[in-house]
Amino acid sequence: MTAIRLLLVDDDPLVRAGLSFMLGGADDIEIVGEGADGDEVDALVDRTRPDVVLMDIRMPTVDGLAATERLRARADAPQVVVLTTFHADDQVLRALRAGAAGFVLKDTPPAEIVEAVRRVAAGDPVLSPAVTRQLMAHAAGATADTRRATARSRVAALNDREREVAVAVGRGASNAAIAAELFLSVPTVKTHVSRVLAKLGLNNRVQIALLTYDAGLLDEPDG
């Protein structure tokens, strides 16, 4: 089994030490590097080639949001999980829109942080549907109408089946649940999800959920 290559970025050395101790004890995770600020991330990624970056969102020079945006713009971008002390933080939401695969709270139990890294490395977001809904509700504001119009124009690129799959992803359904709901095989669902990501220029399922929310599709009745 190939170990998951993990890069830790946090300005607090005690937090880094705790995370390194916690995550380094997992047989399937290898800590390949550590950084103390977002301005170090690009060089660290070039040198260590991580699969996942666990990144603090608040750092003194370049914060985790800016670093995430830069990383996810790369062709060889690793997955990013942001660390935060808040459940509903505007910066967390912006990080998700920038392409982060999710977030974990700094007081999350160690076993759950380890599992979050594993899930992200496997291509799954680390947001529960409840937390996703909370963040999306937090995003509502004065620009909602503009966001909805823009999102609807993007979603129009999808065919009917892709739209159904996108809405199901937005509601937090797993591939297996979507397959059962739409009478499809799991591999077919995965293919549709990949096509949705490609057509909409998105990075992951969290961004599909945010876009379907922005478009108002999650408010529409089934069928």
Side-chain angles (χ1 to χ4, degrees):
M1 178 178 61
T2 302
I4 299 163
R5 298 174 60 82
L6 179 66
L7 173 65
L8 302 177
V9 185
D10 195 296
D11 64 328
D12 187 332
L14 291 178
V15 171
R16 288 201 312 275
L19 289 170
S20 182
F21 177 78
M22 175 199 318
L23 293 159
D27 292 339
D28 57 343
I29 296 175
E30 177 188 0
I31 309 297
V32 295
E34 296 183 16
D37 199 279
D39 64 354
E40 303 174 21
V41 171
D42 282 319
L44 283 168
V45 168
D46 286 340
R47 187 167 72 247
T48 64
R49 299 295 176 185
D51 302 306
V52 179
V53 179
L54 190 58
M55 179 143 50
D56 188 16
I57 203 164
R58 288 186 173 89
M59 291 180 285
T61 306
V62 175
D63 65 22
L65 172 62
T68 296
E69 289 173 335
R70 286 205 308 241
L71 273 188
R72 293 304 299 173
R74 296 167 58 127
D76 58 346
Q79 296 292 341
V80 177
V81 179
V82 294
L83 283 164
T84 182
T85 55
F86 300 97
H87 282 81
D89 186 334
D90 282 329
Q91 288 187 314
V92 172
L93 184 72
R94 288 172 60 198
L96 297 177
R97 291 189 186 281
F103 78 93
V104 293
L105 299 174
K106 289 189 176 181
D107 60 359
T108 298
E112 293 182 21
I113 294 182
V114 171
E115 184 59 26
V117 170
R118 289 173 177 151
R119 286 179 54 192
V120 167
D124 295 326
V126 293
L127 289 176
S128 69
V131 173
T132 303
R133 285 194 296 271
Q134 180 182 357
L135 282 167
M136 290 189 295
H138 189 65
T143 60
D145 289 343
T146 300
R147 235 182 10 249
R148 175 164 292 202
T150 301
R152 282 186 175 268
S153 69
R154 293 180 67 189
V155 170
L158 304 178
N159 63 36
D160 290 344
R161 181 60 87 190
E162 290 164 350
R163 178 185 169 114
E164 288 178 325
V165 170
V167 169
V169 169
R171 290 178 176 147
S174 66
N175 286 341
I178 297 171
E181 177 186 345
L182 299 180
F183 304 102
L184 301 171
S185 69
V186 171
T188 298
V189 171
K190 290 180 178 179
T191 297
H192 284 307
V193 171
S194 296
R195 287 175 179 167
V196 170
L197 291 169
K199 282 189 176 182
L200 299 181
L202 301 177
N203 285 292
N204 54 46
R205 295 169 78 96
V206 175
Q207 289 190 324
I208 294 176
L210 290 169
L211 186 65
T212 56
Y213 173 82
D214 285 348
L217 301 183
L218 305 188
D219 301 326
E220 297 176 356
D222 293 332

